[in-house]
């Protein structure tokens, strides 16, 4: 599979899952977005770029922190951007714009933003250091860049059970590019390669209990995992779902099924003033 084919599959996946991306079982997205926004040192009048904005969780979280500024969210999925725009309108947040852009071809002048963020998106670039450099190029000297990503054992053991069962259907996950920044050391190395200063990494868990196994399926089916499962023939897909949810249901406690969501927040400063 070449790079263009990979991008096409990713875009089609996120266009497809966009309507369910904001469902309650996926509430770690808005929570981690709020925490990512809080990582930036903001006065309230900055311009901020949100790369791979998705349905706008992080862009909207930052927009509330810059009432006299403006946020620009970019993504290559029109389905996601439509959701983001509707959400902004429903919340009456007007200091945000959503644009269709490939994160590898941002098209903004150098230094035109005060800060930039990328929430759960940098690992979709094959060369993450080059992508971080592209993002940093849009930020003025002395401005901050902040990223969020998953820790190594995120969604354990639910994801592990899913991947193991999928292997029985001949489905193997793509190369774990994300794992290169799934540790504090990996994040610091990435920022160092991109020439960022004053790097700090914070590890947090934003997990919660799911009501039942069906809620876990909403997480699987309404996010990037769908691209692993949807190619299965319908009969195999239904059988996989039935078998997998049965084993997930066996993990339930009186509180529900724990969704472990370990997240890293990495923040750096562009050199110069």
């Amino acid at each position: 599979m070449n790079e263009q084919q990979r991008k096409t599959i990713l875009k089609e996946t996120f266009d497809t899952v966009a309507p369910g991306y904001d469902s309650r079982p996926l509430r770690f997205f808005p929570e981690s977005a709020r925490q990512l926004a809080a990582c930036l040192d903001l006065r309230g009048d900055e311009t901020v770029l949100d790369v791979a904005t998705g349905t706008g969780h992080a862009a909207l979280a930052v927009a509330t922190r810059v009432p006299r500024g403006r946020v620009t969210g970019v993504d290559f999925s029109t389905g996601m951007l439509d959701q983001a725009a509707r959400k902004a309108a429903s919340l009456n947040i007007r200091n945000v714009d959503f644009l269709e852009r490939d994160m590898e071809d941002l098209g903004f002048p150098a230094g035109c933003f005060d800060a930039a963020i990328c929430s759960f998106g940098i690992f979709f670039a094959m060369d993450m250091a080059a992508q971080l450099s592209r993002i940093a190029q849009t930020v003025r000297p002395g401005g901050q860049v902040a990223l969020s990503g998953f820790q190594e054992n995120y969604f354990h053991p639910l994801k592990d059970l899913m991947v193991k069962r999928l292997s029985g259907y001949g489905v193997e996950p793509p190369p774990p590019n994300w794992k290169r920044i799934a540790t504090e050391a990996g994040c610091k190395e990435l920022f160092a390669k991109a020439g960022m200063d004053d790097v700090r990494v914070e590890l947090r868990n934003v997990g919660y209990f799911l009501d039942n196994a069906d809620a876990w399926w909403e997480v699987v089916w309404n996010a990037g995992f769908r691209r692993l499962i949807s190619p299965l023939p319908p009969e195999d897909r239904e059988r996989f779902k039935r078998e997998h949810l049965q084993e997930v249901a066996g993990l339930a406690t009186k509180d529900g099924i724990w969704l472990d969501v370990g997240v890293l927040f990495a923040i750096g400063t562009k050199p110069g003033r």
Side-chain angles (χ1 to χ4, degrees):
M1 181 187 304
N2 62 35
E3 179 63 7
Q4 187 54 52
Q5 290 172 323
R6 187 183 73 88
K7 283 188 177 182
T8 298
I9 291 172
L10 277 174
K11 183 180 185 302
E12 290 176 349
T13 297
F14 285 108
D15 282 344
T16 300
V17 303
Y21 209 69
D22 293 343
S23 66
R24 179 171 167 74
L26 285 155
R27 59 190 179 274
F28 66 87
F29 279 131
E31 175 55 32
S32 57
R34 285 190 288 272
Q35 296 193 31
L36 179 64
C39 289
L40 296 174
D41 297 325
L42 298 171
R43 300 180 306 273
D45 60 354
E46 291 88 351
T47 57
V48 182
L49 175 65
D50 178 20
V51 177
T53 191
T55 60
H57 288 305
L60 296 172
V62 172
T64 63
R65 289 177 169 268
V66 289
R68 302 179 307 283
R70 196 153 197 92
V71 179
T72 301
V74 299
D75 204 289
F76 71 171
S77 166
T78 54
M80 293 294 220
L81 291 171
D82 287 346
Q83 289 287 102
R86 281 195 289 269
K87 195 158 49 179
S90 70
L91 295 170
N92 197 31
I93 296 177
R94 300 183 180 184
N95 61 330
V96 61
D97 301 300
F98 293 107
L99 305 176
E100 184 179 351
R101 300 277 175 96
D102 186 325
M103 68 178 178
E104 295 184 357
D105 186 19
L106 291 169
F108 296 108
C112 67
F113 294 98
D114 294 308
I117 57 173
C118 184
S119 175
F120 300 109
I122 194 77
F123 44 69
F124 288 115
M126 296 307 293
D127 187 338
M128 288 185 283
Q131 181 58 49
L132 182 56
S133 294
R134 281 190 285 270
I135 295 172
Q137 187 176 25
T138 70
V139 175
R140 63 169 175 79
Q144 290 185 307
V145 177
L147 310 177
S148 62
F150 292 113
Q151 295 181 39
E152 284 186 288
N153 292 324
Y154 84 103
F155 291 178
H156 176 79
L158 307 181
K159 178 171 62 70
D160 310 78
L161 292 172
M162 179 191 70
V163 170
K164 182 177 180 181
R165 186 160 293 278
L166 274 173
S167 68
Y169 287 80
V171 177
E172 295 299 329
N177 195 41
W178 62 273
K179 280 195 172 183
R180 285 187 280 154
I181 57 165
T183 63
E184 181 178 0
C187 286
K188 287 186 174 179
E189 181 181 358
L190 174 67
F191 273 70
K193 285 181 178 178
M196 303 295 287
D197 290 340
D198 303 322
V199 180
R200 72 179 193 273
V201 180
E202 300 179 16
L203 282 69
R204 305 177 190 172
N205 198 300
V206 297
Y208 43 85
F209 285 100
L210 299 170
D211 293 336
N212 48 44
D214 288 333
W216 164 244
W217 186 254
E218 286 197 53
V219 175
V220 170
W221 195 241
N222 290 318
F225 292 138
R226 186 187 289 203
R227 73 182 188 273
L228 300 177
I229 298 167
S230 57
L232 290 172
E235 289 184 4
D236 285 352
R237 190 187 313 146
E238 285 305 310
R239 183 159 57 92
F240 164 79
K241 177 181 177 181
R242 185 172 59 252
E243 293 170 347
H244 178 50
L245 294 192
Q246 184 176 2
E247 61 187 352
V248 169
L251 300 175
T253 69
K254 62 181 179 60
D255 297 311
I257 298 171
W258 177 248
L259 183 68
D260 195 88
V261 191
V263 179
L264 301 98
F265 299 92
I267 308 94
T269 302
K270 184 173 179 177
R273 292 295 173 188

